């Protein structure tokens, strides 16, 4: 009988028994020997004062990446969690929490998951309980403590609030554990309910609450049920500085989650409208030349504050559509409705060919609703009196009148610095969200006329100031290019022929699309993931805005140039990405769906587009076969590809039966 194999566990040493492999780089060797190892040795010294000094030293130097990586290799996390956080010295414990905070902030989400698996939340809960006991002690009132003692309590409070937020952002599992912890939630709400809480600590608490309240009705209800918290947040939003923006962020999450809007105001008639004036003022006060904050106060940097304000405004711009119950949600990957006229016997055929993808998602009952009933419903929702529509929607009015001019100003920043590019991109994103929400409203036959009248001159200014100027810079920043292209698509959907076109924008978007093909190839080679939703890619958005710029009554020359570009994408299958080909075909259906239009006669027929589609229909079918049926990652692409294959055959059949009218 063979010998039994010894257990691996018996041969596996603990984390402190495994000696880390020393670095080979001379610089790192010197750094390890001269700085890292001596400090870590002092961190575990018998003398409490030495440990306290060492803990403070570690907290001060681990922002340096080389030092941090070396310390992590030397088991810093294990030392801090097992020794420093349980040290008899409260000053050492405070430094220990600051070390964990900095590590969580500087490292990626995987590190936060690692901390979670090492049961850091149990330590956080214990610290929360201890702090609340200290703050609420009747035997030794906190107000009678020395300033130094109070400062240590606030240091720990800030650190664990920040750690909690970082952990919650790392994964859904951790987020769920945090919001389910009565000790952590009670700690946060208690600090937030007391005006005596240190302002910097309150900022960290609000940052954490922003993470925990997003799409979390239970958490929002707890805030509303805790005496003083809502009132304090409402008062903080009106002060100057970063705290007001953080308060606006928490309040917006509450308003959106509780569905408080212009049609359904919340407590004290609260809606996002009360936040917009403060956020617009923050944008107005932004000056890129302002003095940078001191080390450790980076959150108060002007660009960080203004970016958060823009993110909140972007979210408000998206949620504004919820007021219009009958409006479709914006989807930059979906083609617009087209207006193909058909014979009575071809009615069902054309509805399939030209239906908007948003309409495809509706239930059959919605599909059967006749147009007159739908428009009547929209009129009822938006207000039958178009003149009063904008006054009935104070949040939208505030967005258009107060915030949009400031967003537009920031969207026109030059791209001469990293800070300018980031702020500019955030401003474009905020404008983009608002523009897409408005582009989904029904403006036909005078519906929402007041909104259209207000938005039209603003949208034209957006095109001239934000879109055309950004295109002229030939930016290489992908995020910036994606935001400006998506914004252009949304604006063009509303303005149509009223776009203040300078004659060259379509060539810029064609060139930008060609550049995206090279970027995509480079990203694939470097194993860089693209957007989770392929229909949100820059390439798709370029195709979408080009489709809008080609719609009648666009000049024939522009229509032809864009039409040839779209047809070329189809002919280049399989080199053309499937998602791009699907969008190109949907745009072709939209542009050339009406045989009475000049472009149908002068471009579609004279340039032989019908034969081109027939010749490439086999490639389109092959494209569909190449998309996995059961892969969740390609489910939407597969659905839209199936639709476009069906619609292509019907479109070809329809065009053959309906040549252009003389």
């Amino acid at each position: 009988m063979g010998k039994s194999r010894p257990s691996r566990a018996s041969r596996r040493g603990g984390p402190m028994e495994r000696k880390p492999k020393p670095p080979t780089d001379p610089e790192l060797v010197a750094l390890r020997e001269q700085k890292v190892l001596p400090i870590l040795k002092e961190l575990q010294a018998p003398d409490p004062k030495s440990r306290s000094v060492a803990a403070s030293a570690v907290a001060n130097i681990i922002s340096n990446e080389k030092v941090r990586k070396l310390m992590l290799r030397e088991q810093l996390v294990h030392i801090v969690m097992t020794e420093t956080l349980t040290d008899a010295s409260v000053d050492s414990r405070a430094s220990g929490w600051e070390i964990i905070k900095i590590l969580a902030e500087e490292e990626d989400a995987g590190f936060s998951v690692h901390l979670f698996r090492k049961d850091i939340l149990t330590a956080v809960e214990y610290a929360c309980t201890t702090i609340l006991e200290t703050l609420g002690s009747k035997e030794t009132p906190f107000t009678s403590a020395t300033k130094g003692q109070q400062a240590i309590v606030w240091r720990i409070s800030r650190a664990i609030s920040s750690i909690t937020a970082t952990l919650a952002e790392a994964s859904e599992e951790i987020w769920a554990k945090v919001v389910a912890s009565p000790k952590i939630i009670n700690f946060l709400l208690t600090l937030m309910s007391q005006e005596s809480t240190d302002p910097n600590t309150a900022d960290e608490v609000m940052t954490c609450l922003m993470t925990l309240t997003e799409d979390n009705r239970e958490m929002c209800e707890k805030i509303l049920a805790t005496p003083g918290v809502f009132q304090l947040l409402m008062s903080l939003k009106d002060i100057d500085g970063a705290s007001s923006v953080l308060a606006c962020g928490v309040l917006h999450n509450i308003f959106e989650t509780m569905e408080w809007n212009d049609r359904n105001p919340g407590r004290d008639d609260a809606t996002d409208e009360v936040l917009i004036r403060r956020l617009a003022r923050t944008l107005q006060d932004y000056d890129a030349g302002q003095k940078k904050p001191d080390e450790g106060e980076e959150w108060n940097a002007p660009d960080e504050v203004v970016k958060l304000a823009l993110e909140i405004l972007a979210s408000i711009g998206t949620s504004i559509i919820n007021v219009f119950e009958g409006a479709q949600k914006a989807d930059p990957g979906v083609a617009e409705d087209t207006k193909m006229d058909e014979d009575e016997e071809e009615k069902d055929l054309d509805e399939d060919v030209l239906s908007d993808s948003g309409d495809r998602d509706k239930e059959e009952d919605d599909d059967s609703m006749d147009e007159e009933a739908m428009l009547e419903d929209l009129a009822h929702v938006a207000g039958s009196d178009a003149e009063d529509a904008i006054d009935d929607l104070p949040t939208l009015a505030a967005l258009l009148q107060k915030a949009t001019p400031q967003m537009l100003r920031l969207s026109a920043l030059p791209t001469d610095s990293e800070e300018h590019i980031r702020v500019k991109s955030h401003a474009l994103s905020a404008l983009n969200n608002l523009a897409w929400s408005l582009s989904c409203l029904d403006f036909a036959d005078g519906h929402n006329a007041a909104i259209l009248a207000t938005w039209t001159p603003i949208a034209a200014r957006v095109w001239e100031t934000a879109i055309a100027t950004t295109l002229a810079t030939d930016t290489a920043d992908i995020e910036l290019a994606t935001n400006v292209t998506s914004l252009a698509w949304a604006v063009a959907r509303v303005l149509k022929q009223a776009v203040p076109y300078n004659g060259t924008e379509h060539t810029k978007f064609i060139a930008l699309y060609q550049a995206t093909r090279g970027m995509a190839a480079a990203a694939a080679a470097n194993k860089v993931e693209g957007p989770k939703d392929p229909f949100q890619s820059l390439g798709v958005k370029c195709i979408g805005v080009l489709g809008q710029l080609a719609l009648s009554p666009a000049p024939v020359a522009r229509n032809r140039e864009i039409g040839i570009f779209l047809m070329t994408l189809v002919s280049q299958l399989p080199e053309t990405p499937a998602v791009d080909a699907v969008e190109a075909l949907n745009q072709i259906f939209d542009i050339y769906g009406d045989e009475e239009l000049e472009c149908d006669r002068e471009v579609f027929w004279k340039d032989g587009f019908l034969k081109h589609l027939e010749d490439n229909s086999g490639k389109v079918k092959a494209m569909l076969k190449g998309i996995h049926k059961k892969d969740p990652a390609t489910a939407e692409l597969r659905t839209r590809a199936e639709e476009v294959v069906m619609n292509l055959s019907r479109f070809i059949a329809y065009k053959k039966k309906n040549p252009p009218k003389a």
Side-chain angles (χ1 to χ4, degrees), residues 26-273:
E27 180 188 358
L28 296 180
V29 170
L31 190 60
R32 177 176 181 264
E33 297 294 333
Q34 297 171 15
K35 182 175 288 187
V36 172
L37 293 182
I39 292 179
L40 292 181
K41 183 178 180 180
E42 288 296 302
L43 191 60
Q44 303 171 82
D47 178 40
K49 187 174 182 180
S50 297
R51 294 197 303 271
S52 180
V53 172
S56 179
V58 172
N60 288 330
I61 65 173
I62 57 171
S63 292
N64 180 288
E65 184 177 7
K66 292 180 179 179
V67 172
R68 185 172 67 255
K69 296 298 184 184
L70 286 172
M71 285 192 166
L72 287 173
R73 291 177 63 177
E74 300 294 335
Q75 305 297 330
L76 174 64
V77 173
H78 178 79
I79 296 170
V80 172
M81 288 189 64
T82 59
E83 299 182 38
T84 312
L85 294 184
T86 58
D87 199 290
S89 167
V90 67
D91 193 51
S92 292
R93 296 201 300 273
S95 295
W97 282 114
E98 288 173 341
I99 291 170
I100 297 295
K101 167 185 175 290
I102 296 169
L103 290 173
E105 289 175 344
E106 297 291 343
E107 295 295 311
D108 59 18
F111 180 80
S112 293
V113 174
H114 170 68
L115 287 177
F116 173 69
R117 290 173 178 166
K118 291 181 73 69
D119 204 22
I120 189 67
L121 283 185
T122 298
V124 169
E125 289 178 328
Y126 181 80
C128 289
T129 301
T130 302
I131 289 173
L132 291 184
E133 289 174 352
T134 301
L135 293 174
S137 175
K138 294 181 179 179
E139 296 179 359
T140 54
F142 185 69
T143 53
S144 64
T146 66
K147 289 186 177 180
Q149 291 171 329
Q150 292 183 12
I152 289 177
V153 171
W154 297 132
R155 281 174 59 196
I156 297 175
S157 298
R158 288 194 295 272
I160 60 178
S161 297
S162 176
I163 291 167
T164 300
T166 306
L167 290 172
E169 291 173 349
S171 77
E172 291 291 335
E173 179 187 3
I174 302 176
W175 183 89
K177 289 287 186 181
V178 169
V179 298
S181 170
K183 294 178 181 178
I184 295 176
I185 301 305
N186 185 42
F187 165 78
L188 295 171
L189 296 184
T190 299
L191 291 185
M192 202 63 246
S193 66
Q194 299 178 359
E195 293 187 11
S196 59
T197 298
D198 168 68
N200 291 331
T201 303
D203 283 356
E204 288 290 359
V205 172
M206 286 190 288
T207 301
C208 186
L209 289 176
M210 281 182 61
T211 299
L212 302 183
T213 53
E214 188 171 359
D215 297 325
N216 185 354
R217 190 178 185 90
E218 183 179 355
M219 185 69 202
C220 293
E221 289 175 343
K222 288 179 181 178
I223 290 177
L224 294 172
T226 303
V229 176
F230 182 75
Q231 292 78 2
L232 183 57
L233 287 169
M234 290 292 284
S235 63
L236 285 174
K237 73 174 175 58
D238 293 324
I239 67 174
D240 290 330
S243 298
S244 64
V245 180
L246 289 168
C248 287
V250 179
L251 288 169
H252 167 63
N253 284 350
I254 294 173
F255 298 164
E256 184 173 18
T257 302
M258 301 301 294
E259 299 180 354
W260 293 355
N261 54 48
D262 292 339
R263 304 294 188 195
N264 179 42
R267 182 182 295 182
D268 300 328
D269 292 328
T271 68
D272 282 323
E273 188 267 338

Side-chain angles (χ1 to χ4, degrees), residues 22 251 314 319 326 638 658:
L251 288 169
S319 62
R638 174 77 190 193
N658 294 273

Side-chain angles (χ1 to χ4, degrees), residues 411-426:
S411 72
L413 285 172
T415 55
D416 55 356
S417 69
E418 188 67 24
E419 178 182 324
H420 276 171
I421 291 174
R422 296 280 74 80
V423 173
K424 181 185 181 80
S425 187
H426 274 69

Side-chain angles (χ1 to χ4, degrees), residues 530-557:
K532 292 183 179 180
D533 180 359
F535 286 95
Q536 298 298 322
S537 69
L538 176 54
V540 167
K541 292 177 179 180
C542 286
I543 296 168
V545 69
L546 284 166
Q548 290 296 314
L549 295 177
L551 289 174
S552 180
V556 168

Side-chain angles (χ1 to χ4, degrees), residues 338-356 360 586 589-590 593 595 610 643-658:
T338 57
K339 298 179 180 179
M340 180 186 291
D341 293 331
E342 60 264 3
D343 297 332
E344 188 65 30
E345 62 192 29
E346 295 289 336
K347 183 175 181 180
D348 292 337
L349 166 66
D350 293 324
E351 287 176 349
D352 285 332
V353 174
L354 303 168
S355 63
D356 183 279
R360 296 170 192 144
N586 279 326
F589 300 156
D590 286 354
E595 64 272 15
L610 179 60
E643 291 172 348
V644 90
V645 168
M646 176 183 65
N647 290 345
L648 176 59
S649 62
R650 294 180 173 183
F651 182 82
I652 291 172
Y654 176 84
K655 298 303 286 186
K656 285 181 176 180
K657 292 181 180 180
N658 294 273

